[in-house]
Amino acid sequence: MGKHSATGWWVPLTKRWILALLIMLSISTAIAFFIRAALDPCDRHLEVSDKKRVQSQSVPRIATKSSPLSFMKSKLVLLVSHELSLSGGPLLLMELAFLLRGVGTKVNWITIQKPSEEDEVIYSLEHKMWDRGVQVISAKGQETINTALKADLIVLNTAVAGKWLDAVLKEDVPRVLPNVLWWIHEMRGNYFKLDYVKHLPLVAGAMIDSHVTAEYWKNRTRERLRIKMPDTYVVHLGNSKELMEVAEDNVAKRVLRVSRGKGQDLFLHSFYESLELIKEKKLEVPSVHAVIIGSDMNAQTKFESELRNYVMQKKIQDRVHFVNKTLTVAPYLAAIDVLVQNSQAWGECFGRITIEAMAFQLPVLGTAAGGTTEIVVNGTTGLLHPVGKEGITPLAKNIVKLATHVERRLTMGKRGYERVKEIFQEHHMAERIAVVLKEVLKKSKSHLY
């Protein structure tokens, strides 16, 4: 059986259907989806298969011969991560490690903060790196110091990683700073501490995921810390098959959490308001449901309790469903119609889930903040709404708008997919990173002489 046409979004009454809104916690962000009317098993199987083929076409792997990173062959690179987890920063650094290993770079990895007891997530990720030829070494000790002094390049991942310099290298810090590239992903004020970034002005360069975040760091370091940013390079990310494989690892089920900064509370307000709009305007749309993924019945946080209480107060228990935490992203992306990216405050530094969704031909309803504004073309590949309470009603209207205008939704999804193919694939990211690494290595060599 073939896929339903654009005009046949909901199915006949003889079939079961549901339009669902999902809030998901992914590697770096909370995401909300609304799902199309459920198809029968034959239709659903074909549709998921079709969309998975779309994803695989949109994220081609780089052939070693044509890789823009080939100049890194035989060089020694030390990657310093503040932690090893299934969150955005560590996974991006792992992705860089695999790209470099793919061209013959000698890559060593250290993790600064590790729990004293054995951790299944860390165990799994370390073995993934060992299998790919990445050498995982201790964050302390003479071996680490020797590696840092010999390395052609040191990549500090996130602002927090800066504390490792003084704690481990001590008097050798000035010797390595000319070889340091600082990859910054944070957009929260608590990371602007001199203890973390006091050496930032002296490193070879800073690499940041979006122009908005780069400007934010430039202004905040100058105004609050009275220090100057080094040469700063903006590198937009790209979809990676490797990242998806890591994100879908079984151990991922243990690490998600509901987080106020991701905007689930405001989304529920928008969701309720969209239900009221549908009722008020007597719109003919399928029954709308919300599913909160990332819940933990055994350890409910205060924030999650607030979400549940709101659902009870509004008497929408039959429309909102709390599901235990998971990180199996691909099946949801293959089954849904729209992604809602509702991160608050300064938004996401970039928001990798956004381009992953676009690869599945999904339009995006996102906050007009952070890196989302550099990914989503408002009115073309999705619709943006303000952060905070001001965004509740606009988001509700956007939800209703795309639920009732199928052609517009599908057109936005196709345009988003074309945008991913044009600028947000793995080889695009490799090309952008290659430019930065060449500049950093050039500065490092000139410093030697």
Side-chain angles (χ1 to χ4, degrees):
M1 281 173 280
K3 193 171 179 179
H4 287 276
S5 66
T7 56
W9 180 40
W10 48 85
V11 298
L13 292 177
T14 54
K15 293 186 179 180
R16 297 177 61 191
W17 45 259
I18 187 172
L19 174 69
L21 282 165
L22 293 153
I23 305 176
M24 265 192 82
L25 295 177
S26 183
I27 50 177
S28 60
T29 184
I31 55 178
F33 303 108
F34 58 80
I35 294 180
R36 63 170 52 88
L39 309 174
D40 63 36
C42 179
D43 287 335
R44 174 54 59 89
H45 174 74
L46 286 173
E47 184 165 35
V48 171
S49 297
D50 287 344
K51 284 198 173 184
K52 284 185 177 178
R53 281 198 293 271
V54 169
Q55 184 202 31
S56 64
Q57 291 167 1
S58 67
V59 288
R61 298 182 67 181
I62 305 173
T64 303
K65 292 182 180 179
S66 60
S67 173
L69 292 166
S70 296
F71 67 94
M72 293 296 294
K73 182 178 181 180
S74 299
K75 294 190 181 300
L76 175 61
V77 175
L78 177 62
L79 304 181
V80 182
S81 183
H82 73 290
E83 65 178 9
L84 186 53
S85 67
L86 288 165
S87 56
L91 289 178
L92 285 169
L93 193 65
M94 280 183 63
E95 184 178 347
L96 176 60
F98 297 155
L99 287 172
L100 291 173
R101 284 296 302 140
V103 297
T105 307
K106 300 173 184 176
V107 180
N108 282 11
W109 175 290
I110 63 173
T111 304
I112 301 171
Q113 300 173 4
K114 294 178 71 172
S116 54
E117 66 279 1
E118 186 172 312
D119 183 278
E120 190 177 355
V121 172
I122 293 176
Y123 178 85
S124 175
L125 295 180
E126 286 186 341
H127 275 77
K128 281 182 179 291
M129 288 193 281
W130 287 329
D131 290 343
R132 298 291 296 271
V134 177
Q135 300 301 308
V136 180
I137 63 177
S138 171
K140 303 176 181 178
Q142 194 58 47
E143 179 187 11
T144 299
I145 296 173
N146 292 342
T147 302
L149 293 175
K150 291 187 297 183
D152 298 289
L153 175 70
I154 300 172
V155 180
L156 295 182
N157 199 42
T158 74
V160 181
K163 294 188 72 173
W164 171 83
L165 291 169
D166 287 319
V168 175
L169 299 183
K170 299 177 181 177
E171 66 272 8
D172 290 317
V173 170
R175 295 176 59 186
V176 304
L177 290 179
N179 300 339
V180 171
L181 172 64
W182 211 320
W183 198 358
I184 295 173
H185 311 285
E186 298 96 333
M187 281 194 75
R188 300 290 184 268
N190 56 305
Y191 295 108
F192 287 88
K193 297 180 179 178
L194 204 56
D195 285 348
Y196 293 160
V197 298
K198 65 180 181 181
H199 296 299
L200 188 56
L202 300 177
V203 302
M207 186 163 69
I208 299 181
D209 305 333
S210 66
H211 293 281
V212 171
T213 310
E215 190 64 24
Y216 180 72
W217 269 85
K218 177 183 176 181
N219 293 335
R220 299 271 287 203
T221 50
R222 181 182 65 242
E223 295 167 3
R224 292 199 172 192
L225 304 180
R226 306 300 177 188
I227 62 174
K228 183 180 179 181
M229 287 288 289
D231 290 340
T232 302
Y233 309 90
V234 173
V235 174
H236 284 156
L237 308 178
N239 275 323
S240 166
K241 180 180 178 181
E242 297 292 348
L243 185 65
M244 290 297 293
E245 289 174 352
V246 172
E248 292 171 12
D249 193 291
N250 288 333
V251 299
K253 296 180 180 179
R254 300 172 181 251
V255 297
L256 295 182
R257 65 191 185 281
V258 177
S259 168
R260 190 179 300 273
K262 304 302 183 180
Q264 294 98 333
D265 53 342
L266 297 177
F267 170 77
L268 280 179
H269 285 272
S270 295
F271 174 69
Y272 174 74
E273 193 167 312
S274 70
L275 295 178
E276 293 298 297
L277 286 172
I278 290 170
K279 187 189 305 181
E280 177 187 330
K281 296 183 178 181
K282 298 180 180 180
L283 299 174
E284 294 185 8
V285 297
S287 178
V288 181
H289 290 251
V291 181
I292 311 298
I293 299 181
S295 177
D296 189 339
M297 296 298 293
N298 297 320
Q300 289 185 32
T301 63
K302 179 182 177 183
F303 179 57
E304 184 174 339
S305 297
E306 291 173 5
L307 297 180
R308 292 172 181 267
N309 289 337
Y310 177 81
V311 169
M312 296 288 288
Q313 291 167 8
K314 295 300 181 182
K315 298 180 179 180
I316 53 176
Q317 302 95 309
D318 60 328
R319 298 297 190 98
V320 179
H321 314 278
F322 291 85
V323 175
N324 202 24
K325 46 196 175 184
T326 182
L327 240 178
T328 311
V329 179
Y332 292 103
L333 293 178
I336 64 177
D337 290 301
V338 176
L339 176 136
V340 179
Q341 211 281 51
N342 205 41
S343 291
Q344 297 299 304
W346 289 93
E348 293 292 327
C349 180
F350 185 79
R352 186 66 168 274
I353 189 63
T354 307
I355 59 172
E356 290 171 347
M358 289 164 64
F360 279 86
Q361 300 193 34
L362 302 177
V364 177
L365 300 180
T367 46
T372 304
T373 61
E374 296 171 28
I375 303 172
V376 178
V377 180
N378 192 30
T380 300
T381 65
L383 299 170
L384 299 178
H385 57 274
V387 296
K389 294 181 179 180
E390 294 80 6
I392 292 175
T393 297
L395 175 56
K397 291 180 177 178
N398 288 342
I399 289 172
V400 175
K401 189 179 298 181
L402 292 191
T404 54
H405 293 80
V406 182
E407 287 291 347
R408 185 175 188 184
R409 187 182 75 241
L410 295 176
T411 299
M412 283 183 170
K414 290 176 182 177
R415 288 174 177 168
Y417 172 59
E418 292 300 322
R419 183 164 169 79
V420 166
K421 287 203 302 181
E422 184 180 352
I423 57 176
F424 292 130
Q425 294 190 75
E426 186 178 78
H427 68 90
H428 297 126
M429 182 175 70
E431 290 167 1
R432 292 187 279 262
I433 290 177
V435 172
V436 177
L437 298 190
K438 285 179 180 178
E439 287 293 319
V440 170
L441 291 176
K442 187 187 300 182
K443 291 176 185 176
S444 176
K445 287 180 180 179
S446 64
H447 186 269
L448 292 175
Y449 301 105

